[in-house]
Amino acid sequence: MKNSLLVDKSRMPLAMGIAFVAFTTQFGGGFASGAQIYQYFINYGIWCLILPVLTQGLYALFFWYGMRYAYKHKTYDYRSFSDSLYGKTRHVMSNLYEICYLIMIGTASAAAFATGGSTIETLFGLPYWLCTVIVAAFIFVIALFGTTVVRKCASTLSVLILIGLLLVLVPNIIAQWDNIMDSIGRMSAGEMTVLSQQSGAFGPALWSAVLYFFFQLASVSVMYQHMEPVTDVKQIDRAAIGMFVCNFVAMELSIIGLLAIAFVAELATASVPMLILVQNGVGASVLTPIISLLIILGAISTAVNMISGIVTRCVNAVERRMPTPEKRQQGHLTRNAIFTLIFTFLAFAIAQFGLMTVVSKGYAYLGYAAFITLFIPFVVHAIATRGREV
């Protein structure tokens, strides 16, 4: 047995590796901290308990469609995928999607840098810029060596994150079960959490959940590069089921746990709701470092997947112009390093401005961009072809 930290194909089926890439793409620092869960789900009332089924169902379905198309048409980066899917409209739509992807790099990746850097700063008291350099170094090294390493790291990080979630949430759900049931009762009666400015109506809750899906859909493009080693569509089918199960369980567990503090006064001024959960529950001295580690791992995993996707697109674009496979192989790692450095630095530079307000607004813009460039084209394509092209 190999003494490797990475969960490789010999230990884990390819389908689960792919599912875990999708998991780590969605599970970022915002999710780990609990802030994203409150912003898009719990703040909208009791509907938070059922809407993750819709959100994660749509997520798995659309990712399944995109991955099946990429596999069948051998489009292993998002530009070749876009040019193929959009057909005659590719000259407009493919370039629109390039803008969508850059918005994603500028929001999700920069947020990952900022969140990871802030957490390290809090833990060790190092200067913020140095903390983001440390995050950047991890991201650069992992993303540098291509999709195989990214997929292995995603598998490893997913296992660590899931274990960490269970360690943090399960004891606190058990210890604070009465508080959770009290919150559910109060929300069922129409009372809203201390963070909420919503009415509790179903319409706004549904729209918030769908908007969450829209901006998560933008990351489907990071999956295409992982279709190259696939040998059977059944692997993609299993991957879609795996990503639904992992993502739904993680989200539902987080929501149930965080309901314990839905009406705690300290939540109003907290930037990390998950930390308030632990401080009001059990094992704070042990679980606080685990939460911090989860946030850092979540931030790094998200940024790695995003940056890897655009690096693959750029490297493929350069290498397609080369006449032979031998020419493409020569200097491949150097080209990978150059583009990885460029986009890692771009996300790092944005994070230095501390644009967390802009970034939080950027998620909404990202959702609208994904609606135009991905959701509508996927639906139109599926109807027009009756699903025959996947």
Side-chain angles (χ1 to χ4, degrees):
M1 184 178 290
K2 296 177 182 178
N3 293 320
S4 172
L5 174 66
L6 301 178
V7 178
D8 62 19
K9 194 176 175 182
S10 66
R11 302 183 191 181
M12 180 177 292
L14 177 63
M16 275 319 288
I18 293 170
F20 279 153
V21 170
F23 175 80
T24 54
T25 299
Q26 183 176 168
F27 187 101
F31 191 113
S33 70
Q36 209 171 67
I37 292 294
Y38 266 95
Q39 183 177 351
Y40 289 95
F41 293 94
I42 296 178
N43 284 350
Y44 289 85
I46 195 63
W47 310 109
C48 67
L49 290 172
I50 60 171
L51 285 173
V53 174
L54 174 66
T55 300
Q56 299 308 327
L58 288 171
Y59 184 91
L61 175 62
F62 277 76
F63 271 51
W64 171 83
Y65 194 87
M67 292 188 299
R68 287 279 294 249
Y69 186 94
Y71 170 71
K72 183 172 183 178
H73 296 270
K74 295 181 171 56
T75 52
Y76 301 132
D77 66 77
Y78 69 80
R79 182 66 192 217
S80 60
F81 179 96
S82 299
D83 287 344
S84 176
L85 183 79
Y86 295 142
K88 293 179 181 178
T89 65
R90 65 184 180 278
H91 300 296
V92 174
M93 293 300 296
S94 289
N95 289 322
L96 282 177
Y97 185 70
E98 291 279 7
I99 296 172
C100 178
Y101 200 99
L102 288 173
I103 293 173
M104 184 168 66
I105 291 290
T107 54
S109 296
F113 271 83
T115 307
S118 297
T119 305
I120 295 173
E121 179 186 29
T122 301
L123 283 176
F124 301 107
L126 299 172
Y128 173 77
W129 68 268
L130 179 59
C131 296
T132 52
V133 168
I134 293 170
V135 173
F138 275 102
I139 291 168
F140 176 79
V141 171
I142 296 171
L144 173 63
F145 293 101
T147 58
T148 301
V149 171
V150 170
R151 189 165 55 252
K152 289 178 180 179
C153 284
S155 300
T156 303
L157 291 175
S158 293
V159 171
L160 293 175
I161 288 167
L162 286 170
I163 291 172
L165 267 179
L166 292 173
L167 289 174
V168 170
L169 290 171
V170 172
N172 278 286
I173 287 173
I174 294 170
Q176 302 187 63
W177 184 250
D178 290 342
N179 292 335
I180 293 169
M181 294 307 296
D182 179 64
S183 293
I184 291 173
R186 293 168 71 174
M187 293 168 75
S188 298
E191 190 174 349
M192 304 304 291
T193 74
V194 297
L195 289 179
S196 178
Q197 298 178 346
Q198 301 298 320
S199 66
F202 179 68
L206 177 63
W207 172 243
S208 180
V210 171
L211 182 60
Y212 176 89
F213 157 68
F214 283 154
F215 74 69
Q216 294 292 352
L217 177 59
S219 64
V220 67
S221 49
V222 309
M223 306 304 298
Y224 307 147
Q225 59 189 313
H226 298 286
M227 296 303 101
E228 196 163 0
V230 171
T231 56
D232 191 325
V233 292
K234 291 180 180 178
Q235 292 172 312
I236 299 174
D237 298 343
R238 288 194 292 269
I241 294 170
M243 72 175 66
F244 171 78
V245 172
C246 289
N247 291 341
F248 172 74
V249 169
M251 178 171 281
E252 193 71 17
L253 199 64
S254 296
I255 288 173
I256 292 171
L258 288 166
L259 283 177
I261 56 165
F263 295 95
V264 172
E266 302 99 283
L267 190 64
T269 55
S271 58
V272 184
M274 198 72 79
L275 187 58
I276 302 298
L277 171 66
V278 172
Q279 290 172 344
N280 282 269
V282 295
S285 60
V286 175
L287 296 182
T288 298
I290 293 177
I291 291 171
S292 301
L293 181 62
L294 282 178
I295 294 170
I296 295 168
L297 290 178
I300 290 174
S301 65
T302 296
V304 163
N305 292 336
M306 304 286 180
I307 290 171
S308 178
I310 197 168
V311 168
T312 300
R313 175 260 187 273
C314 293
V315 171
N316 285 353
V318 171
E319 293 180 350
R320 272 196 294 269
R321 297 184 176 91
M322 297 179 177
T324 64
E326 290 75 19
K327 288 283 186 182
R328 289 192 285 272
Q329 193 60 36
Q330 290 175 2
H332 174 78
L333 187 60
T334 301
R335 288 185 288 274
N336 232 43
I338 292 170
F339 283 113
T340 301
L341 184 62
I342 290 171
F343 291 107
T344 301
F345 180 78
L346 174 64
F348 166 81
I350 293 172
Q352 299 313 301
F353 291 98
L355 299 176
M356 293 309 292
T357 302
V358 175
V359 165
S360 65
K361 292 180 180 178
Y363 278 120
Y365 292 125
L366 179 60
Y368 298 133
F371 175 77
I372 295 169
T373 60
L374 288 170
F375 181 79
I376 293 177
F378 273 37
V379 172
V380 170
H381 184 271
I383 294 171
T385 64
R386 298 180 182 177
R388 288 190 297 264
E389 292 198 15
V390 298

